[in-house]
Amino acid sequence: MLSSALGPTDIPLLNETISANLARTVETHGEGEALVSVEQGLRYTYREFSEAVDEVAAGLMAVGVQVGDRVGIWSPNSAEWVLVQYATARIGATLVTINPAYRVAELEYVLNQSGTSVLVATESFSHSNYRGMIEEVWDRVPTQQVVYLQTSDWEDLLATGTAVSADQLEERSAGLRPDNAINIQYTSGTTGFPKGATLSHRNILNNGFFVGEACGYTSADRVCIPVPFYHCFGMVLGNLACTTHGATMVVPAAGFDAAAALRACEQERCTSLYGVPTMFIAELGEPDLDNYDLSSLRTGIMAGSPCPVEVMKQVVDRMNMNQVTIAYGMTETSPVSTQTSVDDSLDKRVATVGRAHPHVEIRIVDPVNGETVPRGQAGEFVTRGYSVMLGYWDDETRTAEAIDDEGWMHTGDLATMDEDGYINIVGRIKDMIIRGGENVYPREIEEYLYRHPDVVEVQVIGVPDARYGEEIMAWIQPREGAELEADDIKAFCQGQIAHYKIPRYVKFTDEFPMTITGKIQKYLMREMSIEDLGLGETAQERHA
């Protein structure tokens, strides 16, 4: 039997916009709770949520945002973030979700590449001065207006919206189509710059809906979402899975905090909890975990990076998540292509990434000739269907490299399919590193480190890490006579590239393992580094 499968098609795709879908939910569940922001002390019923969304939508229309205009959001999680997500969908603007960990160079690139005209941002968070970074790039980007959250800017935006009538808003919304671009999400690029995966209403609305179906959501469910909204995990698997089912979005805090997530689950009687493996590891490591009342939990999703089997088992045993699921995908596929279901056996739920999602076609192919391989044999995971992105924003070349002429999205991941159609991810064709759920391409870090005046050659690899799945390591050939230390390299990166891209390990070397033709062999670098760093046991840990 060949490694090919089509997900179930008995439930039809949603052929509507996000705004139209939300209106249907409000009709049915108007008095049910839609959104709870625990840290902010805010609560909205679905009717109140819809009214708040319309306020923001009208404000954006009043400041001149047209259909197709790009509106950026650069902020950690908050109730306002969710309102902006649904407001931009309401008026046909394309939401550009910007990673809160980005720094000056990355922010400047994303605003320019997307052509963002209006930016909604927080002033500061943790150690990040967002206002300062925005002011630093302001003269070099096309952005015309910034609205700072939790300031008078936000109140002014809402007040401005009173000039837009309900009929004008409804007329704008009625003219939208499910295939309109609604979201640009930037993923790290192999050529040194992020790529803007462009997604439609149809892409993300349906993916959120079927994720919710796989978790068995109803209006009785309350989903704790500690994962970031800028990523598909938060805004699609989290928010859209909830609003398509009348379930409640519970936002525990602006950023991830294990104790805050556990408190939210207890206080709000959450039935579902999300996280990348590192988040669940942190929650399991909380000293008073057993003192939290997690009896309301039943399901959730672990995704974003390879999921350690033992961690999954502990989540089931210690956190009452007997129906926890694993999801696999990528931003370019909205994001989920495969998922385990709540009624799968424990073995399938902890040791695989599930089967093909509804209306999604998957294959495992020979990376060289493209032929579908027999079940049980490793090959590249490819997928096609409604979930495949419209393309990379303003980048036809890289779009054509990722999506072939038959519509198959090439993931670069190596996988196997068993006799029952369950998928196991066994490696990656590309050099991509997955650190704590963040996709990192070595080339992007290498390009930046080459700017250092004392760096002659640099190669970046991922090495195994018990907490994050992988950590960043840079092999550097310094300029002759230079006196470089690892801390010098880290300091050079600080504030210029996202914290998760800064190498944890730095090795200085005069030579790299190479083929006879002069190609650097990163797999040998990784093997040598595992031995040098004493990471052998970590490298052997089982993952789905």
Side-chain angles (χ1 to χ4, degrees):
M1 189 183 299
L2 294 177
S3 298
S4 178
L6 172 65
T9 57
D10 51 319
I11 300 176
L13 288 167
L14 299 174
N15 188 34
E16 59 190 349
T17 64
I18 290 170
S19 180
N21 180 266
L22 179 61
R24 286 202 298 115
T25 300
V26 172
E27 283 181 17
T28 312
H29 306 290
E31 303 316 309
E33 216 159 36
L35 174 63
V36 177
S37 181
V38 177
E39 192 173 62
Q40 294 175 286
L42 296 174
R43 293 178 183 274
Y44 300 81
T45 65
Y46 265 99
R47 199 170 309 285
E48 291 166 342
F49 177 69
S50 178
E51 291 169 355
V53 166
D54 281 2
E55 273 194 284
V56 179
L60 291 172
M61 281 182 65
V63 299
V65 175
Q66 302 295 317
V67 174
D69 284 355
R70 273 75 66 206
V71 175
I73 184 161
W74 195 30
S75 166
N77 289 6
S78 67
E80 291 85 353
W81 205 111
V82 186
L83 295 177
V84 171
Q85 175 186 345
Y86 286 80
T88 50
R90 178 88 158 112
I91 63 171
T94 302
L95 184 66
V96 180
T97 54
I98 304 171
N99 189 334
Y102 274 4
R103 291 298 176 261
V104 174
E106 297 151 320
L107 174 68
E108 182 178 351
Y109 174 79
V110 164
L111 293 177
N112 277 312
Q113 205 276 333
S114 64
T116 291
S117 58
V118 174
L119 177 63
V120 180
T122 194
E123 286 192 293
S124 63
F125 176 70
S126 186
H127 302 296
S128 298
N129 179 359
Y130 293 98
R131 182 186 281 271
M133 287 186 276
I134 291 167
E135 290 173 352
E136 188 172 338
V137 304
W138 189 250
D139 292 337
R140 306 192 296 272
V141 298
T143 311
Q144 299 156 13
Q145 182 172 352
V146 181
V147 177
Y148 287 105
L149 296 171
Q150 286 95 43
T151 72
S152 59
D153 285 4
W154 180 253
E155 299 305 321
D156 290 346
L157 178 73
L158 301 183
T160 303
T162 58
V164 175
S165 70
D167 287 345
Q168 288 174 306
L169 180 58
E170 206 55 51
E171 182 181 0
R172 168 77 72 90
S173 191
L176 306 178
R177 296 292 176 264
D179 286 327
N180 291 155
I182 203 64
N183 182 211
I184 299 174
Q185 299 208 12
Y186 280 87
T187 66
S188 290
T190 54
T191 57
F193 294 106
K195 299 172 290 186
T198 308
L199 304 168
S200 67
H201 292 270
R202 184 189 304 279
N203 285 150
I204 60 177
L205 179 67
N206 279 286
N207 208 257
F209 171 69
F210 285 115
V211 162
E213 290 290 288
C215 291
Y217 287 162
T218 69
S219 58
D221 280 289
R222 301 173 68 80
V223 184
C224 184
I225 312 171
V227 293
F229 289 146
Y230 81 86
H231 190 276
C232 274
F233 201 169
M235 68 173 289
V236 180
L237 281 69
N239 298 343
L240 285 166
C242 287
T243 59
T244 53
H245 289 85
T248 306
M249 300 167 276
V250 177
V251 187
F256 175 69
D257 177 88
L262 293 170
R263 278 197 305 272
C265 287
E266 179 180 65
Q267 293 170 11
E268 296 298 326
R269 307 307 295 152
C270 293
T271 58
S272 178
L273 172 62
Y274 287 3
V276 298
T278 53
M279 293 179 177
F280 282 105
I281 290 168
E283 288 154 1
L284 289 166
E286 277 292 298
D288 55 350
L289 170 65
D290 295 333
N291 293 329
Y292 288 97
D293 179 3
L294 303 180
S295 59
S296 59
L297 284 176
R298 66 167 182 86
T299 188
I301 300 174
M302 191 184 297
S305 65
C307 304
V309 172
E310 292 307 313
V311 172
M312 281 290 289
K313 289 179 177 176
Q314 285 193 57
V315 166
V316 171
D317 293 341
R318 298 186 62 202
M319 299 178 70
N320 200 48
M321 295 172 63
N322 296 317
Q323 297 179 333
V324 66
T325 70
I326 285 184
Y328 161 78
M330 61 193 306
T331 304
E332 290 89 337
T333 55
S334 304
V336 174
S337 295
T338 70
Q339 189 176 356
T340 58
S341 65
V342 293
D343 53 4
D344 278 336
S345 69
L346 180 62
D347 181 60
K348 294 295 189 187
R349 283 190 290 121
V350 302
T352 79
V353 293
R355 291 184 284 191
H357 237 230
H359 299 275
V360 171
E361 195 174 356
I362 63 174
R363 287 195 300 152
I364 310 297
V365 302
D366 186 307
V368 177
N369 60 30
E371 295 296 320
T372 306
V373 302
R375 295 206 176 187
Q377 182 176 321
E380 183 183 15
F381 183 98
V382 299
T383 181
R384 69 178 175 186
Y386 81 87
S387 59
V388 175
M389 66 176 179
L390 300 177
Y392 292 120
W393 181 260
D394 197 25
D395 197 334
E396 292 182 4
T397 301
R398 288 202 281 185
T399 299
E401 291 170 354
I403 305 172
D404 67 25
D405 293 340
E406 295 181 340
W408 291 100
M409 177 76 207
H410 288 254
T411 68
D413 287 328
L414 288 168
T416 60
M417 180 185 291
D418 70 14
E419 292 302 313
D420 298 318
Y422 289 86
I423 299 297
N424 192 275
I425 305 300
V426 297
R428 290 187 297 282
I429 297 170
K430 303 172 184 176
D431 289 334
M432 186 176 73
I433 300 163
I434 304 180
R435 182 196 181 276
E438 297 284 2
N439 293 351
V440 181
Y441 284 89
R443 180 68 180 273
E444 187 176 356
I445 304 170
E446 291 163 0
E447 290 287 343
Y448 178 73
L449 290 178
Y450 275 126
R451 300 181 190 177
H452 194 292
D454 291 331
V455 171
V456 174
E457 173 68 281
V458 56
Q459 294 291 318
V460 171
I461 58 172
V463 294
D465 182 76
R467 182 178 181 190
Y468 292 106
E470 287 185 287
E471 266 288 5
I472 314 296
M473 181 174 189
W475 282 40
I476 292 175
Q477 180 184 349
R479 178 180 56 79
E480 189 174 349
E483 295 184 4
L484 275 180
E485 301 287 342
D487 286 346
D488 298 329
I489 297 300
K490 295 175 183 180
F492 182 70
C493 298
Q494 205 72 43
Q496 295 299 312
I497 61 175
H499 66 86
Y500 61 82
K501 298 176 187 174
I502 298 175
R504 177 178 177 183
Y505 304 107
V506 179
K507 174 186 173 77
F508 294 103
T509 183
D510 291 325
E511 58 182 14
F512 298 84
M514 293 187 180
T515 66
I516 196 168
T517 57
K519 183 177 180 180
I520 291 175
Q521 296 175 297
K522 286 194 171 182
Y523 78 95
L524 285 179
M525 290 170 53
R526 188 173 188 273
E527 289 175 5
M528 294 163 65
S529 299
I530 288 170
E531 184 174 349
D532 291 346
L533 297 170
L535 299 174
E537 284 189 15
T538 305
Q540 296 302 314
E541 187 175 2
R542 290 176 64 210
H543 293 82

